[in-house]
Amino acid sequence: MDERWDVVQAAVADCATASTWAMTDAEVVAALLAAHRAQQALHAAVLHLVRQVDIRDMPSTAHATSLASWLRWRLRVSPTQARTMVMQARALDHRPGLDHALCTAEVNAEQLSVIARCLDGLGKDADVPAALADEAESTLVDWAPDLDPVQLRHAGDRILAHLAPEIAERAEEAALARADKRAERDRYFTLSPLGDGRVRVHGILDAEGAAVVTAALDPLCSPQQRRSPQQRRSPQQRRSPKRSSSLDASIADARTPGQCRADALAEICRLALRTTELPTHGGDRPQLAVTVPYDLLHQKLGIGTLDTGERIGADHVRRLACDARILPTVLGGRGEVLDVGRARRLATGPIRRALVARDHGCAFPDCDRPARWCDAHHRVSWLDGGPTALDNLVLLCGYHHRLVHREPWHVGLGPDRHPEFTPPPHQGLGDQPLRNRYHPRT
């Protein structure tokens, strides 16, 4: 490796461990600015290397599903950070002026993303010539030292009105049409467990989808919901001893607007689960599964594990049992699935739940795709007499399912009956079985 990289790493490490307490205020500010400029130049170097990884198609040789996935694995960064690095690296590849601005710290990494997205939007408009896009790039780079990323984004939205008012209106119409298509394309919804009993809800909806969700949430967020549960019940519900809502009066009265919407979303899903209109999922109706160790069957109900991998306390398990069917998955001392509760006689539902309880997602090494994206792969082909049984099945995402059929990866079970993968000799990865490290072990 070129010795310059070693020199840079040593110099940065030396600065990171340098004593700063004796510096004057002016020296602290000067050092901060210098370190920040150096950070932008180093970021440019990282993006240049990322682009080389992309050009050489190195992720495919490592069986990564994408460049972002490969970066996440090698650099231990978040999916969002990995995708941002890919976007920035590709933007610099065909924008030498923007590349120079980052290398010389005229723009920072956040401003780079803003400018790149602005120029990408202009490039999709046939009425904006390339020369005008280049002028917009130069102008935004000139403005960057005086504007933070949010201000720079607003300036980028008006860049055509500044440079070419005669085509700005036509470009805005084209931009609005692109925005509608982008909203439809980029819509998504995620539930991300934080590991502390909370789950982050994140997503993007198009305008029509948001209107439907708002219409469903508003009735449960209305001031009527702040009345007591007795006041909210219908006459039929008042005569019934069974509670009609999961909201306690004292909690409802003190809820913030955000808490009202969170409770309303959960209540709508509870109502949906009580209907028969939802489609089947993995051979079974949508249900809630809770996994408990075998020895707890002989004691009072204790801590359980949801099929999402989240740990919940006994109080939560008992409360959930009031609103949904609980399907017990019984585990032995080493985590083997001994028995799976069944809601009906079809075999596909219990086997699928057992696979999710054991694998939690794609079992291939270093794959983070969730169980709902995975297929049940037969280790010994069904055509060759392999049974459709838990020990002969493993969850694999579509990409790795195709891989193990295309290349001679050996899929086995370890002593704890969890999947492990032995790579083919031509991969040069040795002959030791590999396991997935992303999904929690049951």
Side-chain angles (χ1 to χ4, degrees):
M1 185 174 69
D2 192 324
E3 65 178 8
R4 286 178 297 180
W5 304 108
D6 293 330
V7 172
V8 168
Q9 183 175 1
V12 171
D14 184 53
C15 290
T17 58
S19 176
T20 58
W21 67 270
M23 300 170 65
T24 65
D25 291 354
E27 289 173 337
V28 168
V29 173
L32 175 62
L33 294 176
H36 182 69
R37 287 192 296 269
Q39 184 181 33
Q40 308 318 306
L42 281 173
H43 188 65
V46 169
L47 297 182
H48 296 161
L49 295 170
V50 168
R51 186 56 180 157
Q52 280 301 306
V53 171
D54 192 13
I55 292 172
R56 300 181 189 192
D57 199 21
M58 294 166 63
S60 66
T61 62
H63 302 299
T65 54
S66 65
L67 176 56
S69 178
W70 186 91
L71 290 172
R72 182 185 179 189
W73 170 50
R74 295 305 297 264
L75 303 184
R76 298 292 183 254
V77 296
S78 68
T80 300
Q81 178 65 14
R83 289 192 295 268
T84 298
M85 292 170 68
V86 172
M87 182 275 290
Q88 292 178 338
R90 291 172 178 170
L92 294 187
D93 190 50
H94 62 276
R95 288 287 175 184
L98 196 55
D99 189 2
H100 176 75
L102 182 64
C103 291
T104 56
E106 296 177 63
V107 301
N108 60 41
E110 287 186 273
Q111 292 172 322
L112 165 63
S113 293
V114 171
I115 295 173
R117 290 193 178 97
C118 176
L119 297 177
D120 185 56
L122 294 179
K124 294 176 181 177
D125 193 337
D127 293 333
V128 178
L132 186 57
D134 292 339
E135 185 178 358
E137 175 189 349
S138 178
T139 302
L140 291 172
V141 169
D142 290 341
W143 289 348
D146 300 318
L147 302 175
D148 65 31
V150 175
Q151 295 169 327
L152 190 61
R153 179 174 60 81
H154 292 315
D157 292 340
R158 302 189 302 271
I159 190 66
L160 277 183
H162 176 77
L163 297 178
E166 66 279 5
I167 67 172
E169 184 174 352
R170 295 195 305 273
E172 184 175 5
E173 291 177 356
L176 289 174
R178 287 197 308 274
D180 289 340
K181 292 182 180 179
R182 183 175 63 246
E184 181 178 1
R185 180 198 67 203
D186 291 349
R187 66 191 187 280
Y188 76 97
F189 179 83
T190 62
L191 296 171
S192 305
L194 301 180
D196 59 359
R198 298 178 300 165
V199 177
R200 178 183 288 115
V201 179
H202 196 266
I204 293 176
L205 300 176
D206 58 20
E208 181 179 350
V212 172
V213 172
T214 300
L217 293 179
D218 276 351
L220 294 173
C221 298
S222 66
Q224 181 183 12
Q225 294 302 311
R226 292 185 175 274
R227 294 185 295 187
S228 70
Q230 184 65 23
Q231 291 174 311
R232 290 201 302 270
R233 292 178 180 177
S234 67
Q236 294 85 356
Q237 291 171 325
R238 291 171 190 167
R239 288 193 295 268
S240 172
K242 186 176 181 180
R243 65 187 181 90
S244 62
S245 173
S246 64
L247 302 178
D248 180 81
S250 61
I251 297 176
D253 290 342
R255 289 182 301 163
T256 66
Q259 290 171 333
C260 285
R261 287 189 290 273
D263 292 338
L265 178 61
E267 191 68 22
I268 288 171
C269 292
R270 290 189 186 96
L271 293 172
L273 285 172
R274 295 185 188 114
T275 72
T276 59
E277 301 299 320
L278 292 177
T280 60
H281 180 66
D284 223 341
R285 305 301 293 179
Q287 303 167 52
L288 178 68
V290 175
T291 302
V292 295
Y294 178 77
D295 57 358
L296 288 182
L297 296 181
H298 302 287
Q299 307 169 14
K300 64 179 182 179
L301 188 61
I303 293 174
T305 304
L306 297 176
D307 49 6
T308 60
E310 282 290 288
R311 301 279 285 172
I312 57 174
D315 290 343
H316 292 285
V317 173
R318 283 189 287 269
R319 179 171 55 80
L320 289 171
C322 296
D323 298 319
R325 178 179 297 170
I326 301 298
L327 303 173
T329 301
V330 183
L331 305 180
R334 296 184 300 170
E336 305 98 329
V337 177
L338 302 179
D339 187 26
V340 178
R342 286 197 270 183
R344 59 184 186 179
R345 297 177 63 184
L346 293 178
T348 53
I351 291 177
R352 176 78 185 189
R353 291 196 300 274
L355 280 172
V356 172
R358 186 192 69 189
D359 297 348
H360 297 284
C362 179
F364 195 87
D366 293 316
C367 184
D368 61 351
R369 293 190 171 179
R372 62 183 177 275
W373 293 4
C374 295
D375 305 320
H377 166 70
H378 286 73
R379 297 194 302 113
V380 177
S381 173
W382 184 80
L383 295 175
D384 295 331
T388 303
L390 182 60
D391 277 359
N392 194 44
L393 296 173
V394 60
L395 285 182
L396 290 176
C397 68
Y399 178 85
H400 290 119
H401 198 175
R402 292 188 295 271
L403 174 66
V404 298
H405 279 286
R406 186 175 67 246
E407 298 188 3
W409 284 80
H410 175 72
V411 185
L413 294 180
D416 58 358
R417 316 306 294 168
H418 284 260
E420 52 188 29
F421 297 74
T422 304
H426 72 270
Q427 290 292 330
L429 299 176
D431 57 359
Q432 293 299 312
L434 305 175
R435 291 193 171 196
N436 189 293
R437 297 174 296 175
Y438 278 112
H439 302 301
R441 182 70 58 81
T442 301

